[in-house]
Amino acid sequence: MSANPATICINGQWQNAKNKQTIDVFAPSNGKKISAIARGDAPDVDFAVKAARAAFEGVWSKTPAVERGRLLSKLSAKIAEHANELAELEAKDTGKAMKLARNDIAATVRYFEFYGGAADKLHGDTIPFLDGYQVIVNRVPRGVVGHIIPWNYPAQMFGRTIAACLAAGNTTVFKPAEDACLSVIRMTELAHGVGIPPGVINLVTGLGHEAGAALASHPDLDYLSFTGSPEVGTQIQKMAAEHHTPCVLELGGKSPQIVFEDADFDKAIPVIVSAIIQNTGQTCSAGSRVLVQKSIYDRFVAQLADKVRSVRVGAHDADLDCGPLISGAQCERVKGFLARAQADKIPVLAEGAIDENAQPGGYYVKPMLLGPVDPAHELAQLEVFGPVLVVIPFDDEAHAVQVANGTAFGLIAGVWTENGGRQLRVAKQIRVGQVYINGYGAGGGIELPFGGFKRSGYGRAKGFEALHEYTVTQTIVVNHG
Ligand code: NAI
Ligand code: MG
């Protein structure tokens, strides 16, 4: 890594935060300090927004779409060239197993590839109007976009937000999470290396209530994207409302996997387990509730429990099924949920194992399968953000739909049944942004529009939909006589 991670990047210049302060970065696998990042704050954010504004009005709005696309494609190739280095950085910084980090970098490459190709394919419309008129509807960039992202998938989040935002012609101020952002710092450097002009991507690292709050409340933002906890999502909307800044929010989920009596167990079980242990459960679209029809409950749960018992947790470089959690605080949060479940006498059906070589000081928890859980219990309602899967029995289709929809969230869902009519009937009744039938796509599918219903947020990321989020229409009415 050549850019000093303890610096921020404004207008292409790497510099200390104005307060010269830094934040230590720890490796989740052993709790040891591995780096330090700059503790940017309001003055840095203000400077960054000004740089993004100047770049938007200057170079970037004058760069043709085809050229913006080429620059993003070049960045895609550059990230691919540095895939090993970036995957190692991502794994060490987040604790995730190397194979997942490799997948994440491959997805990041894909984001820049997809939006590089899409940049010059986004077009407007015409509308038939009165005689003597021509109406043109242009899709124009929003302008300066703020991004506040979490620590669970830093590299992918950089791809998901930056690639679409820049393809649509916006410039950005990017505030990654203080708990993990080393890959983002490196990719910002690579972006400048391939010729993305200074000021188009400005990176300000720092704490949520400092740099994050300064960005969300900045008066000169045209749009704000946030991914993270529902609690902070509420604060973000209040801050943005001061200046009527529109937002796209992705606030997590409590996504159900619904298993009907005619499901193919052998197909379903490995996918269901991997959808909760992926990234140690720290995935917004983790499948964290499994709803099982009562007629197969005992048989299905016995097989599911066997699979959970086979899960191994270890250091990022041990490359087992999953790694540690991101931080001591996250570990405490997950253990708190488990302690309350124990106090409420929820049966533990199975637990995975922590590798004997996992180092003390790392933030390890065992994957757990619990159930039956009352659908009203917090374990069935709240995002644990850890490898904790709960089982909930149901009677029939109507009951399954009621339980599936019975949380404040609505991000994604899985439906497991070989009955074609039921597949679509159930899918259409579930209030979530994506439904998978006989499969599950936690995090997958760059091409697929992604986002929530209800408290999971609003607006859409990914696919062509994201280009619509990052643009607005401007209608031009010509009276040509
Ligand atoms: P968080 O929501 O506090 O952090 C996400 C981002 O928001 C980070 O960049 C952070 O610096 C920023 N932020 C925090 N406070 C802010 C503020 N007042 N103003 C502006 N920006 C702010 O999430 P955290 O604390 O890291 O994790 C807590 C819980 O949130 C997790 O246990 C999990 O349940 C949930 N979460 C959900 C995510 C998802 O993708 N669904 C991602 C991260 C966390
Ligand atoms: Mg927080």
Side-chain angles (χ1 to χ4, degrees):
M1 184 139 171
S2 33
N4 174 358
T7 54
I8 59 181
C9 183
I10 300 177
N11 207 22
Q13 303 293 312
W14 292 89
Q15 51 205 274
N16 291 324
K18 288 202 195 305
N19 61 21
K20 306 250 185 330
Q21 292 187 36
T22 57
I23 304 165
D24 288 342
V25 176
F26 302 95
S29 290
N30 56 22
K32 293 197 176 123
K33 181 179 166 184
I34 49 167
S35 190
I37 56 167
R39 184 172 169 176
D41 203 346
D44 307 293
V45 167
D46 187 50
F47 187 31
V49 172
K50 289 193 169 81
R53 176 67 58 198
F56 175 67
E57 285 170 3
V59 60
W60 203 236
S61 59
K62 298 180 180 63
T63 303
V66 62
E67 188 53 32
R68 294 198 302 267
R70 279 184 192 135
L71 287 168
L72 296 176
S73 302
K74 278 190 192 164
L75 181 53
S76 173
K78 185 57 83 178
I79 294 169
E81 209 179 289
H82 289 265
N84 281 338
E85 174 204 337
L86 287 165
E88 275 166 24
L89 201 55
E90 187 81 334
K92 197 200 254 185
D93 197 18
T94 60
K96 67 180 69 192
M98 270 306 292
K99 54 187 162 231
L100 179 60
R102 283 202 189 88
N103 283 345
D104 287 1
I105 301 303
T108 310
V109 168
R110 222 4 234 137
Y111 276 114
F112 285 100
E113 180 185 43
F114 179 87
Y115 289 108
D120 61 352
K121 288 156 196 81
L122 177 69
H123 52 73
D125 218 341
T126 62
I127 296 178
F129 196 49
L130 306 175
D131 185 40
Y133 284 81
Q134 174 71 44
V135 177
I136 305 159
V137 183
N138 283 323
R139 282 221 154 256
V140 299
R142 290 184 180 267
V144 176
V145 178
H147 288 110
I148 300 175
I149 66 149
W151 39 260
N152 49 350
Y153 293 88
Q156 279 211 53
M157 290 300 306
F158 183 80
R160 177 171 126 184
T161 57
I162 293 288
C165 171
L166 266 53
N170 306 280
T171 59
T172 184
V173 177
F174 194 85
K175 208 301 281 175
E178 56 273 33
D179 282 320
C181 60
L182 298 180
S183 65
V184 166
I185 296 171
R186 180 68 173 125
M187 286 190 290
T188 301
E189 192 184 13
L190 295 177
H192 287 92
V194 300
I196 293 180
V200 172
I201 304 174
N202 303 281
L203 176 73
V204 181
T205 56
L207 299 175
H209 67 279
E210 295 177 353
L215 184 56
S217 56
H218 199 284
D220 196 30
L221 273 194
D222 296 304
Y223 195 61
L224 180 62
S225 95
F226 172 78
T227 301
S229 60
E231 295 74 24
V232 175
T234 303
Q235 294 174 42
I236 294 278
Q237 290 175 85
K238 287 182 181 162
M239 289 186 266
E242 277 300 313
H243 305 291
H244 304 284
T245 308
C247 304
V248 52
L249 299 172
E250 204 260 89
L251 308 177
K254 191 74 193 176
S255 297
Q257 302 263 18
I258 309 171
V259 184
F260 285 96
E261 58 192 0
D262 63 340
D264 180 334
F265 288 15
D266 293 337
K267 236 195 283 177
I269 285 172
V271 176
I272 290 174
V273 172
S274 101
I276 185 64
I277 63 165
Q278 175 178 317
N279 209 30
T280 324
Q282 304 166 117
T283 302
C284 49
S285 52
S288 52
R289 295 184 289 157
V290 52
L291 281 44
V292 183
Q293 193 154 21
K294 281 182 184 159
S295 51
I296 53 159
Y297 188 85
D298 290 342
R299 201 159 50 89
F300 183 82
V301 168
Q303 279 193 38
L304 184 63
D306 279 347
K307 185 72 185 168
V308 169
R309 277 185 211 103
S310 75
V311 175
R312 293 288 169 275
V313 184
H316 63 283
D317 50 3
D319 210 8
L320 303 176
D321 300 312
C322 57
L325 294 170
I326 188 72
S327 63
Q330 192 60 24
C331 229
E332 289 315 306
R333 178 187 157 94
V334 173
K335 286 180 177 165
F337 272 102
L338 293 172
R340 292 190 295 278
Q342 194 179 15
D344 292 340
K345 302 205 166 32
I346 296 177
V348 173
L349 299 167
E351 45 185 58
I354 298 171
D355 184 48
E356 57 190 20
N357 296 321
Q359 289 188 38
Y363 313 126
Y364 298 97
V365 291
K366 283 182 193 163
M368 303 284 274
L369 179 69
L370 296 110
V373 176
D374 184 312
H377 193 272
E378 64 163 17
L379 260 193
Q381 288 288 328
L382 302 179
E383 193 174 46
V384 175
F385 234 51
V388 180
L389 181 60
V390 298
V391 195
I392 305 171
F394 69 83
D395 298 311
D396 54 15
E397 248 178 70
H399 189 205
V401 168
Q402 182 207 329
V403 175
N405 284 333
T407 75
F409 293 106
L411 194 55
I412 87 171
V415 178
W416 297 89
T417 171
E418 297 295 313
N419 176 327
R422 178 186 275 156
Q423 292 171 348
L424 282 178
R425 211 164 41 238
V426 171
K428 286 180 174 179
Q429 294 177 75
I430 304 176
R431 304 279 293 163
V432 295
Q434 289 185 344
V435 183
Y436 290 85
I437 293 161
N438 293 339
Y440 198 82
I446 274 84
E447 306 84 346
L448 314 178
F450 178 80
F453 281 52
K454 303 191 284 185
R455 299 260 178 91
S456 289
Y458 50 77
R460 291 291 176 266
K462 301 188 175 180
F464 237 75
E465 286 274 315
L467 294 175
H468 289 169
E469 285 296 338
Y470 286 115
T471 51
V472 276
T473 58
Q474 185 192 44
T475 305
I476 299 177
V477 183
V478 185
N479 176 354
H480 56 65

